[in-house]
Amino acid sequence: MSRNADSGDRRHVTVVEVGPRDGLQNERVRVATPTKIAFIEALADAGLRRIEVTSFVHPRSIPQLQDAEAVLAGLPARDGVTYSALVPNGRGLERAIAAGVKEIAVFTAASDTFVRHNIHMGLRESLDHFVPVVAEARRHGMRVRGYVSTVFGCPYEGAVLPEQGIAVAKELLALGCDELSMGDTIGVATPGDVARWLEAARSAGLPIEDIALHFHDTRGTALVNVLVGLQHGVRIFDSTAGGLGGCPYAPGASGNLATEDLLYALHGLGYDTGVDLAKVVAASSLIATQLDHMLPSRYYQAARVQACLPV
Ligand code: MG
C-alpha cells in the first residue's frame, strides 16, 4: 500500500522544492542566513508544502549550508508545510532531531563510483550505513526520503542500467524510506530512457506512487521527461525556484529543473499543484540579486522582462 498521502487524487501533483538545499549547495556565492530564511518563507507563501531547506552534512564539506541550525531556527512552524533536511549520518540525524526537523533525506546512488566520489564509501557500504540512521529517524516519528543519484547515467561510469537504480530503490524502501527521489544527476535522460526506467520499475514491483523524479535540464530534456513521468503515473517531482543550482559536473550548464517552468507546464496540462506561480517568481527574485549569474528558469526570465524583476 502507498505511504504517500497525496496519491489519491490523480490530478494533483506534488512539487518538492529543493532550491534552498540542492540549489544553493551548487551556487558559488554565499547567501546570508536572513536572505535564505526570507526566500524559504516566500516559497511557503507561494503554496509550496514540501521544502528541503538545508543539509546536516559536516559544516566544512558544504560551507554554503553550514548555517543549517540557524536557518531552521528562523523558520516558524506553518500548518501543512514540511521543512526537510538532508542527513548524511548519525551525527547529522542528531542535529536534525535537535533542530526539530520532521522529515529527513538520506542519499546514495545507482552507480558505485559516484557514491565513492561523493561520500567516500561504496554503494553497499552506504546502504548499510543508513540502516541505523533510518531506523532511528523512524523511532522519532520522522518521515524519510531516499535520494538515488545517477539513475540514468553516471559522470564516472557512463550508462547506468535501470536494474541498478531499481535494486537500490528496493533496498531503501526495505530500510524504511517513505519515498524515493530518483535523480538524473548529470541531466542525460531522454524521454525514452525515462519510459524504459518506469516500465522496468513497475515490472519490478516498485510502488510508483512513492517515487519522485528529480530531473536536471542540462540537455534540455527535463520537462519532456516530466511529461513521460506523468504518463507513467508519477505524481511527485523535484525542482528548484528559478532553476537555482548549476550542474556541478559541467560548469555554466543548466542543472535543476526550475519550479516555475515545471508549474507552468503542469498547470497547462490541467494538474493542480496548490502553488501560485507568480509568487514563486517573487521568491526567486529575492535570491536572484545575490547570485553571480542569471537564474536559468525560462519562465522566470520571461516574467522578469514583463515586470522588470532582477535577473
Ligand atoms: Mg538536483
Side-chain angles (χ1 to χ4, degrees):
M1 206 175 99
S2 167
R3 300 184 219 186
N4 262 312
D6 282 338
S7 60
D9 176 6
R10 302 307 294 156
R11 300 308 295 175
H12 181 81
V13 170
T14 298
V15 174
V16 179
E17 171 61 49
V18 297
R21 197 281 302 170
D22 187 12
L24 288 181
Q25 172 174 340
N26 293 306
E27 293 291 346
R28 284 179 297 269
V29 175
R30 285 280 279 280
V31 175
T33 307
T35 307
K36 290 179 186 173
I37 293 168
F39 174 50
I40 295 161
E41 293 248 76
L43 292 167
D45 286 341
L48 288 154
R49 289 292 166 261
R50 294 181 57 192
I51 308 175
E52 192 171 87
V53 297
T54 191
S55 171
F56 287 102
V57 292
H58 194 283
R60 272 201 302 278
S61 68
I62 304 176
Q64 176 77 274
L65 302 180
Q66 68 181 13
D67 58 356
E69 278 85 357
V71 167
L72 281 155
L75 291 168
R78 290 193 189 217
D79 265 359
V81 177
T82 302
Y83 297 126
S84 61
L86 216 64
V87 159
N89 50 33
R91 174 70 192 122
L93 180 62
E94 284 173 22
R95 291 172 61 201
I97 292 166
V101 170
K102 302 280 191 298
E103 177 176 328
I104 61 157
V106 297
F107 50 95
T108 185
S111 54
D112 186 68
T113 317
F114 187 85
V115 181
R116 287 184 191 281
H117 273 84
N118 264 271
I119 50 180
H120 314 293
M121 57 177 84
L123 175 49
R124 174 75 263 153
E125 201 186 338
S126 78
L127 287 165
D128 293 342
H129 156 95
F130 279 123
V131 171
V133 177
V134 175
E136 183 66 9
R138 291 184 66 83
R139 264 197 297 280
H140 280 82
M142 289 168 150
R143 196 168 183 279
V144 183
R145 166 176 249 225
Y147 277 106
V148 185
S149 293
T150 66
V151 170
F152 301 96
C154 169
Y156 310 108
E157 295 182 18
V160 174
L161 294 171
E163 291 67 30
Q164 294 176 250
I166 290 166
V168 175
K170 282 191 160 178
E171 291 225 29
L172 288 171
L173 285 175
L175 239 68
C177 287
D178 298 283
E179 175 180 298
L180 304 171
S181 173
M182 310 304 292
D184 182 17
T185 311
I186 52 172
V188 289
T190 68
D193 295 327
V194 177
R196 279 186 290 277
W197 195 91
L198 288 167
E199 281 154 19
R202 190 178 292 281
S203 299
L206 275 187
I208 300 297
E209 61 277 15
D210 295 329
I211 289 180
L213 293 175
H214 182 118
F215 289 124
H216 285 189
D217 203 34
T218 318
R219 289 166 183 78
T221 53
L223 272 182
V224 70
N225 289 341
V226 167
L227 185 60
V228 172
L230 289 166
Q231 289 166 344
H232 285 77
V234 176
R235 291 293 181 273
I236 312 168
F237 296 94
D238 298 355
S239 59
T240 70
L244 205 56
C247 175
Y249 306 97
S254 181
N256 291 296
L257 170 61
T259 305
E260 290 92 330
D261 301 359
L262 174 62
L263 290 171
Y264 186 62
L266 288 173
H267 295 168
L269 285 163
Y271 288 98
D272 163 51
T273 63
V275 185
D276 183 328
L277 175 50
K279 288 186 177 175
V280 177
V281 170
S284 292
S285 70
L286 289 178
I287 211 84
T289 52
Q290 312 288 313
L291 305 176
D292 58 353
H293 62 88
M294 257 176 56
L295 283 174
S297 164
R298 305 295 283 272
Y299 187 94
Y300 179 83
Q301 289 177 20
R304 176 193 65 87
V305 169
Q306 284 173 352
C308 299
L309 289 166
V311 293

